[in-house]
Amino acid sequence: MTDPLSPASTAAEILAHLHTLASEEKRQGMQRFGIRIERSLGIPHGPQRDIARKIKRNHERAFELWESGIVEAQFIACSTVDPKRFSIDDARAWAETFDSWDVVDGVTSLFVDTDHWQPLIAEFAADEREFVRRAAFAMIAWASVHRKKEPDATFEAFLPLIEAHAGDPRNFVKKAVNWALREIGKRRMALHGPALATAEKLAASPDKTARWIGKDAVRELTNPKTLERLARRS
């Protein structure tokens, strides 16, 4: 049989190998972090990353892994799919299955590497489903970190979207909105001021959720260590 950890391995062989790594103890432990475990084998991210590195990129096989429905296989699919060939309709189809914050955060790291990441943010933010809306703000956060060449104006333009959805009280939305705001503010000094102004405005809001988002973001964006890191980047 082909080595399941080689570039020549098939999706079926990779899935069989994943099952040999399954851990019921780790699977149950994931629930403490608010992760849904119905589709999980209980394999930590480290071994998943090792597998992705060994099997390398294969666009078609990545879709087979995704369609298995196994969370770990889906994470590996995200790491081995070709972002240049990943269409906006592919992203929409994968988003349709979102049911846990960890899946959202893993997949959106891929989405921001595609050419249609900005239209997807607007589309997903307008979606009322909790995990799809979370995807929009997770994408803003990931893009703030990963898209180094993107102009600051792109990220400043996301601040009104953050403000518009800061009142969504659902746990996995509000945490992603907060994450997005903090990452914009930490991207570069030129963005720190606008992000902090938005955070301060939200911190003074009569809305409980918006106030929590704002106060938490203000705390991080005014932290001396955050300001030190920003100064070094300037």
Side-chain angles (χ1 to χ4, degrees):
M1 176 173 131
T2 306
D3 181 349
L5 299 183
S6 77
S9 59
T10 66
E13 289 166 342
I14 295 163
L15 290 168
H17 182 71
L18 286 173
H19 280 283
T20 70
L21 303 177
S23 167
E24 184 59 25
E25 181 183 357
K26 288 186 174 65
R27 183 173 172 270
Q28 292 300 325
M30 291 160 65
Q31 292 186 104
R32 294 197 302 272
F33 302 99
I35 295 172
R36 294 186 63 174
I37 64 170
E38 294 88 343
R39 298 190 293 111
S40 174
L41 297 175
I43 304 170
H45 285 294
Q48 294 174 45
R49 285 192 290 269
D50 289 342
I51 291 170
R53 277 195 295 269
K54 290 175 181 177
I55 66 173
K56 302 193 182 302
R57 186 166 287 170
N58 182 312
H59 193 70
E60 289 74 19
R61 184 186 61 200
F63 276 83
E64 291 181 63
L65 291 172
W66 178 269
E67 287 161 12
S68 72
I70 296 169
V71 169
E72 290 84 354
Q74 293 185 329
F75 282 131
I76 293 168
C78 294
S79 300
T80 57
V81 79
D82 184 350
K84 291 183 172 58
R85 296 172 60 193
F86 194 80
S87 73
I88 195 166
D89 287 330
D90 292 332
R92 289 168 176 148
W94 285 22
E96 283 289 324
T97 71
F98 286 164
D99 60 359
S100 187
W101 69 263
D102 59 316
V103 176
V104 173
D105 294 1
V107 178
T108 49
S109 182
L110 159 69
F111 287 0
V112 299
D113 288 336
T114 69
D115 292 335
H116 20 266
W117 66 283
Q118 291 187 62
L120 283 172
I121 286 173
E123 183 177 320
F124 290 164
D127 197 298
E128 290 295 333
R129 290 171 292 181
E130 181 174 10
F131 292 109
V132 178
R133 181 168 289 170
R134 179 184 176 90
F137 296 98
M139 286 178 71
I140 294 172
W142 283 127
S144 298
V145 175
H146 294 310
R147 296 194 72 99
K148 306 290 188 188
K149 296 180 180 177
E150 196 68 35
D152 291 341
T154 298
F155 295 96
E156 190 167 353
F158 288 133
L159 293 173
L161 188 68
I162 286 170
E163 188 176 342
H165 290 286
D168 190 325
R170 292 174 294 181
N171 187 48
F172 295 114
V173 175
K174 76 175 184 181
K175 287 186 174 180
V177 173
N178 170 262
W179 179 24
L181 178 56
R182 289 185 290 109
E183 291 301 337
I184 290 174
K186 293 187 295 179
R187 180 179 166 87
R188 270 196 283 273
M189 192 60 82
L191 287 164
H192 180 267
L196 181 58
T198 298
E200 288 172 338
K201 182 177 179 182
L202 294 176
S205 170
D207 182 88
K208 180 182 177 182
T209 303
R211 198 162 59 246
W212 176 85
I213 290 169
K215 286 183 176 180
D216 188 74
V218 167
R219 188 179 304 114
E220 181 161 4
L221 295 178
T222 56
N223 185 293
K225 289 183 179 178
T226 300
L227 295 172
E228 260 180 54
R229 284 193 294 270
L230 279 169
R232 285 199 297 270
R233 289 178 196 165
S234 300

